[in-house]
Amino acid sequence: MIKKKIGTINELDKNNQFSRWVNDHDILIYKHDNKIEAISNICPHFGGPIGYHEIKIVDNKPVFTCLWHNLQFCIKSGECTTHNNLKLRKYNVEVEDEAIFVYIN
Ligand code: FES
């Protein structure tokens, strides 16, 4: 497991989310309920971008909606809420001062 800097917290000011490639991982950083988390930005369906849209609340749950075919994913667990057996990978995040780090296998 390696720890890599992915960005800074002020990059979340504008949209509450941004994505970036780090060591061959396309990672979406987002802020929700004042918590900063990270999830794969690549849809497990056919590889569409997860972070194109902002977080939406559906049935009282915050979800990301993939741009390509509109599958939705729980932002907390990464599980797909509209299709069985698909799940986005979550990454551990650490914030130190202004910097955001992710842990990558
Ligand atoms: S590629 Fe994401 S829903 Fe199909």
Side-chain angles (χ1 to χ4, degrees):
M1 192 87 94
I2 55 166
K3 180 180 172 182
K4 284 291 234 179
K5 183 177 173 185
I6 190 165
T8 56
I9 52 173
N10 61 10
E11 291 178 88
L12 292 165
D13 287 349
K14 199 169 161 214
N15 297 318
N16 280 322
Q17 64 192 57
F18 67 86
S19 64
R20 192 154 292 146
W21 285 88
V22 177
N23 283 32
D24 293 334
H25 295 246
D26 185 5
I27 299 175
L28 175 62
I29 299 289
Y30 57 95
K31 188 161 102 179
H32 186 74
D33 283 346
N34 271 325
K35 210 173 156 211
I36 296 173
E37 297 191 49
I39 201 162
S40 172
N41 192 38
I42 300 176
C43 182
H45 186 224
F46 278 106
I50 293 299
Y52 183 85
H53 296 297
E54 293 181 352
I55 292 168
K56 266 200 306 206
I57 306 295
V58 176
D59 295 334
N60 292 321
K61 282 189 196 145
V63 296
F64 282 113
T65 306
C66 178
L67 176 66
W68 287 1
H69 314 100
N70 299 318
L71 293 189
Q72 294 179 329
F73 296 85
C74 171
I75 70 163
K76 293 182 197 302
S77 67
E79 278 169 18
C80 186
T81 57
T82 49
H83 197 287
N84 287 338
N85 301 322
L86 292 178
K87 190 172 181 180
L88 287 170
R89 177 177 180 177
K90 296 273 315 220
Y91 295 86
N92 288 332
V93 172
E94 216 169 86
V95 178
E96 288 173 17
D97 299 322
E98 299 292 296
I100 304 171
F101 295 87
V102 287
Y103 286 88
I104 297 169
N105 278 336

